[in-house]
Amino acid sequence: MTIFVGHRGAPTLATENTLASLRAAQHLGADAVEFDVRATKDGAAVLLHDRTLARLWGCDRPVAELTLAEVRELRGPAGELVPTLAEVIEAVSLQLVVDCKVPALVPEIVRLLRGRGQLARTRFIGEPEVLVEVRTSLPEVEIVLSWAGAEPPPKELLDRVRPAALNLKWAGLADQTAQRFQALGFALWTYTVDTEDELRRAQRLGFEAVITNDLRTVRAAASTAGRGA
């Protein structure tokens, strides 16, 4: 059965990486939500993909240059606030798939999740340099290693990170590449799958999880396929 992961929540319905977006993903039947985490100047963990706040929040400065109080003065397109990781924990009950963008922020994320008893429902996803830090702090946590190359990750990296799954970029992905990665024995995730045809292909290729911007479409496609079986 395919795991459906909302990419930054449900960005077709609400601003990405906001509480509204994450809650919309839960309402649409996501199994998990993936979101990006960065640090403010004073070390708070907040949800943001980009290095700066320009694209969605109207502030052309890096989030790392602003305190949490300054960030919370900003408003998104629908009046939203930049959420903190602590707020996300309370807002949704889904599996949390954390994409930390800053290696130095890993200890704070771990402290927060552990202190609130949330590690059991958390996976970490993302780039090698961050995930090495995650594995050092959390020997048992489930890690999904994102990898964009056509060739598999080097054995040294796999030994250090010990991922449970590899996350492959969907755009331009050849069948042969997916099969090559499958041969390594890891579960496969992919991002982003947003149409019925893409979902069918991902299932044919044996992907365990699909990260999607359009949960409504892919969940409907999955339900239709199930009724036809």
Side-chain angles (χ1 to χ4, degrees), residues 45 47 83-91 112 116:
L47 270 61
T84 65
L85 178 57
E87 288 173 327
V88 171
I89 291 170
E90 301 299 327
L112 181 60
R116 301 203 177 196

Side-chain angles (χ1 to χ4, degrees), residues 22-213:
L22 300 179
R23 287 171 173 145
Q26 180 160 307
H27 178 74
L28 289 171
D31 300 299
V33 283
E34 180 270 351
F35 50 85
D36 308 286
V37 185
R38 289 187 179 271
T40 62
K41 183 178 180 179
D42 47 352
V46 296
L47 270 61
L48 185 71
H49 176 270
D50 302 354
R51 188 179 68 87
T52 77
L53 293 144
R55 178 167 61 92
L56 296 173
W57 302 98
C59 177
D60 193 17
R61 293 178 64 187
V63 67
E65 293 182 358
L66 301 177
T67 66
L68 177 59
E70 290 171 327
V71 170
R72 297 287 277 186
E73 292 178 358
L74 304 175
R75 295 294 181 272
E80 312 95 328
L81 299 175
V82 177
T84 65
L85 178 57
E87 288 173 327
V88 171
I89 291 170
E90 301 299 327
V92 295
S93 58
L94 299 173
Q95 180 81 198
L96 306 176
V97 183
V98 179
D99 187 347
C100 175
K101 298 299 187 182
V102 185
L105 185 58
V106 168
E108 171 60 17
I109 292 175
V110 172
R111 183 198 66 77
L112 181 60
L113 292 170
R114 179 178 280 135
R116 301 203 177 196
Q118 300 299 309
L119 286 174
R121 67 164 173 140
T122 302
R123 292 177 167 115
F124 284 83
I125 196 168
E127 300 303 319
E129 62 271 20
V130 174
L131 296 180
V132 167
E133 296 297 323
V134 171
R135 179 55 74 211
T136 299
S137 298
L138 297 170
E140 304 303 325
V141 78
E142 186 167 318
I143 285 177
V144 180
L145 173 63
S146 294
W147 195 254
E151 296 300 320
K155 183 178 184 302
E156 178 185 4
L157 176 61
L158 293 173
D159 289 344
R160 292 184 70 189
V161 174
R162 304 197 311 279
L166 301 176
N167 182 38
L168 308 184
K169 188 174 183 179
W170 182 254
L173 180 69
D175 286 15
Q176 296 90 331
T177 301
Q179 292 159 1
R180 186 181 305 123
F181 278 78
Q182 274 186 326
L184 297 175
F186 295 97
L188 295 185
W189 289 36
T190 188
Y191 68 102
T192 53
V193 169
D194 294 332
T195 70
E196 180 175 352
D197 288 345
E198 289 174 346
L199 175 64
R200 297 282 176 260
R201 179 170 176 249
Q203 292 174 325
R204 174 176 62 79
L205 290 172
F207 281 91
E208 175 184 90
V210 296
I211 301 174
T212 178
N213 292 306

